[in-house]
């Protein structure tokens, strides 16, 4: 098997569990946050820097790499690992969420999705079979079934038809996926309707995927609704397979997701935040571009061991950002990825000693105040 998942220990007070995913390119300790490398790069960082930060797996985007440079070019280069110089595990999404985000630029049918490129307006078509072809060319360790992501809010009738389409597409993906060194995950849909979520999960479980994504959350709904959906859904999902909450990455959501039994997360949020001059701290997000930090010569966080905090001050990083120097964005990105990587390590440590509930209460009590 190209993927093996083992539950190491489970929390006695929450649904959290400590796990290990074994892939051909290495081991992933879970719960884990996966930085997003949209264009086969986690923006402004090198693979070596990510390794130093303790990143074990990254995500790349099928839609974007299909458009540029083309999955055939990546395949010719030896696959994503060789193309981008990253030796550890990679997960690729299916392209479904990116196509969903195109709104009026796409048309969904039973066969697949017709859409116009956001780059030049050219017409393209991706079906479940084509998504598998592209992802097999890219060569990631974990690939995702092509799905339809329903918007929020959406009428029940629409969400039900979308859920049923996602199940039919999942079957087609399973049939089309033939690369035996990759693992194909199904994606649970159903919007905010708990019964449809359960139906989706049970239909996909019948197909016996090696892991399951939870899609269509964090698409504009209040966090409380997302948590309610997870509370209802996770208990019926397989205990012996990884659960992946797609597109979620803020620290509070990571903590809340782990408490409910999620093993894997990804999001562009920390790197996008960094490019806008925002850094993550224990007390919440800090707008380091703002004037009050001009004469602040302390590190972003005193106890952070990342390269940015160990060598530079808030005032200096603010100066770089205001001067549009690339180093400023590199430093804020390094810090944000370091923060989330360390957070996940602390969460795993807390699960190991069965103190996650206490850890989460302490963390959530002080996190969330924007400065």
């Amino acid at each position: 098997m190209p993927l093996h998942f083992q539950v190491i220990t489970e929390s006695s007070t929450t649904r959290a569990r400590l796990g290990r995913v074994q892939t051909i390119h290495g081991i992933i300790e879970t719960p884990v946050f996966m930085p997003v490398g949209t264009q086969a790069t986690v923006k402004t960082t090198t693979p070596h820097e990510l390794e130093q930060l303790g990143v074990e797996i990254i995500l790349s985007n099928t839609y974007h790499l299909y458009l540029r440079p083309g999955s055939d070019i990546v395949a010719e280069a030896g696959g994503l690992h060789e193309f981008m110089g990253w030796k550890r595990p990679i997960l690729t999404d299916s392209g479904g969420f990116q196509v969903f985000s195109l709104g009026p630029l796409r048309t969904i049918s039973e066969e697949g999705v017709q859409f116009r490129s956001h780059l030049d307006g050219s017409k393209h078509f991706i079906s479940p079979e084509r998504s598998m072809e592209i992802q097999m060319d890219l060569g990631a360790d974990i690939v995702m079934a092509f799905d339809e992501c329903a918007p929020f809010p959406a009428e029940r009738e629409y969400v039900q038809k979308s859920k049923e389409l996602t199940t039919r597409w999942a079957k087609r993906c399973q049939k089309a996926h033939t690369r035996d060194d990759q693992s194909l995950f199904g994606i649970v849909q159903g919007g905010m309707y708990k019964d449809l979520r359960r139906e989706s999960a049970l239909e996909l479980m019948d197909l016996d995927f090696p892991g399951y994504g939870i899609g269509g959350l964090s698409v504009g709904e209040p966090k409380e609704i997302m948590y309610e959906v997870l509370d209802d859904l996770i208990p019926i999902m397989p205990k012996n397979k990884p659960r992946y909450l797609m597109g979620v990455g803020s620290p509070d959501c990571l903590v809340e997701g782990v408490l409910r039994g999620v093993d894997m997360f990804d999001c562009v949020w920390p790197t996008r935040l960094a490019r806008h001059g925002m850094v993550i701290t224990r007390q919440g997000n800090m707008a380091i571009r703002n004037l009050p930090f001009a004469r602040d010569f302390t590190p972003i966080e005193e106890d952070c061991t990342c390269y940015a905090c160990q060598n530079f001050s808030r005032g200096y990083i603010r100066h770089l950002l205001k001067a549009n120097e690339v180093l400023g964005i590199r430093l804020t990105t390094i810090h944000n990825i370091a923060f989330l990587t360390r957070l996940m390590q602390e969460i795993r440590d807390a699960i190991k000693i069965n103190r996650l509930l206490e850890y989460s209460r302490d963390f959530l009590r002080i996190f969330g105040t924007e400065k």
Side-chain angles (χ1 to χ4, degrees):
M1 292 288 291
L3 180 144
H4 175 72
F5 176 65
Q6 178 185 6
V7 176
I8 306 300
T9 187
E10 295 180 273
S11 166
S12 65
T13 54
T14 72
R15 292 199 182 101
R17 71 254 190 96
L18 193 69
R20 182 173 295 131
V21 178
Q22 174 75 58
T23 73
I24 291 172
H25 286 93
I27 292 173
I28 308 153
E29 303 291 346
T30 64
V32 66
F33 174 77
M34 301 178 285
V36 175
T38 301
Q39 311 273 9
T41 175
V42 178
K43 286 183 172 33
T44 77
T45 65
T46 67
H48 178 65
E49 288 168 334
L50 295 173
E51 289 177 9
Q52 287 184 316
L53 291 173
V55 174
E56 294 179 342
I57 177 173
I58 63 172
L59 179 146
S60 283
N61 293 115
T62 293
Y63 165 83
H64 291 283
L65 294 174
Y66 157 73
L67 291 177
R68 182 175 55 188
S71 59
D72 56 332
I73 291 177
V74 175
E76 189 177 334
L80 268 179
H81 291 90
E82 289 298 319
F83 187 56
M84 65 184 294
W86 175 254
K87 306 306 180 186
R88 296 180 179 182
I90 299 174
L91 182 149
T92 47
D93 61 10
S94 67
F97 180 77
Q98 280 69 35
V99 168
F100 151 78
S101 302
L102 292 173
L105 296 178
R106 51 95 171 122
T107 303
I108 301 168
S109 67
E110 183 69 35
E111 287 306 306
V113 182
Q114 183 87 37
F115 64 95
R116 289 187 178 273
S117 165
H118 72 288
L119 297 174
D120 58 10
S122 57
K123 286 186 177 180
H124 300 268
F125 181 78
I126 293 183
S127 64
E129 292 79 10
R130 183 65 179 128
S131 176
M132 292 300 97
E133 290 174 5
I134 297 167
Q135 292 188 81
M136 286 190 286
D137 277 350
L138 296 176
D141 301 84
I142 301 171
V143 301
M144 304 302 296
F146 194 60
D147 63 324
E148 187 196 355
C149 179
F152 175 83
E155 295 294 330
R156 179 185 175 87
E157 183 180 2
Y158 176 89
V159 176
Q160 181 162 355
K161 290 181 179 178
S162 173
K163 182 270 296 182
E164 292 167 353
L165 181 63
T166 289
T167 299
R168 293 194 296 274
W169 282 359
K171 294 176 182 177
R172 289 166 58 185
C173 286
Q174 209 170 44
K175 185 176 180 180
H177 184 261
T178 58
R179 185 163 175 168
D180 59 10
D181 61 346
Q182 291 180 319
S183 294
L184 171 63
F185 282 21
I187 302 178
V188 176
Q189 289 290 351
M192 308 305 145
Y193 300 94
K194 295 176 185 177
D195 59 328
L196 297 182
R197 283 278 175 183
R198 292 193 296 271
E199 287 177 14
S200 178
L202 293 172
E203 289 165 1
L204 294 174
M205 286 158 59
D206 283 344
L207 300 177
D208 196 26
F209 288 98
Y212 295 90
I214 303 170
L217 292 176
S218 192
V219 291
E221 79 280 4
K223 292 178 181 179
E224 291 72 21
I225 293 180
M226 178 174 72
Y227 301 150
E228 288 177 12
V229 170
L230 292 174
D231 282 332
D232 189 73
L233 174 65
I234 295 270
I236 72 166
M237 296 183 72
K239 292 184 177 181
N240 63 339
K241 296 182 179 181
R243 307 156 181 162
Y244 163 31
L245 181 55
M246 307 177 73
V248 170
S250 64
D252 53 334
C253 290
L254 295 179
V255 172
E256 296 281 5
V258 170
L259 288 169
R260 288 161 171 82
V262 175
D263 305 300
M264 304 169 68
F265 305 83
D266 84 281
C267 196
V268 298
W269 182 80
T271 49
R272 181 176 292 166
L273 204 66
R275 295 195 301 278
H276 288 86
M278 298 283 286
V279 289
I280 314 168
T281 76
R282 296 275 174 181
Q283 288 73 40
N285 301 332
M286 176 192 295
I288 202 168
R289 289 180 61 96
N290 289 354
L291 183 60
F293 298 105
R295 289 181 168 83
D296 188 338
F297 304 118
T298 62
I300 296 171
E301 282 203 295
E302 291 287 353
D303 64 343
C304 181
T305 59
C306 80
Y307 178 75
C309 289
Q310 289 296 302
N311 292 278
F312 305 104
S313 70
R314 297 172 176 181
Y316 178 66
I317 295 172
R318 177 189 182 273
H319 155 68
L320 294 175
L321 294 169
K322 297 298 286 186
N324 293 319
E325 289 288 345
V326 174
L327 180 58
I329 299 174
R330 278 177 44 74
L331 294 175
T332 54
T333 300
I334 286 170
H335 171 79
N336 284 354
I337 293 174
F339 184 97
L340 294 188
T341 303
R342 182 172 61 162
L343 172 64
M344 300 313 289
Q345 181 62 62
E346 291 176 1
I347 287 173
R348 292 193 296 269
D349 291 343
I351 297 172
K352 191 178 300 183
I353 61 174
N354 203 28
R355 290 190 57 82
L356 180 62
L357 201 56
E358 294 86 347
Y359 174 87
S360 63
R361 285 171 179 165
D362 290 342
F363 180 87
L364 294 171
R365 187 175 65 250
I366 63 174
F367 180 81
T369 304
E370 186 170 306
K371 296 185 289 181

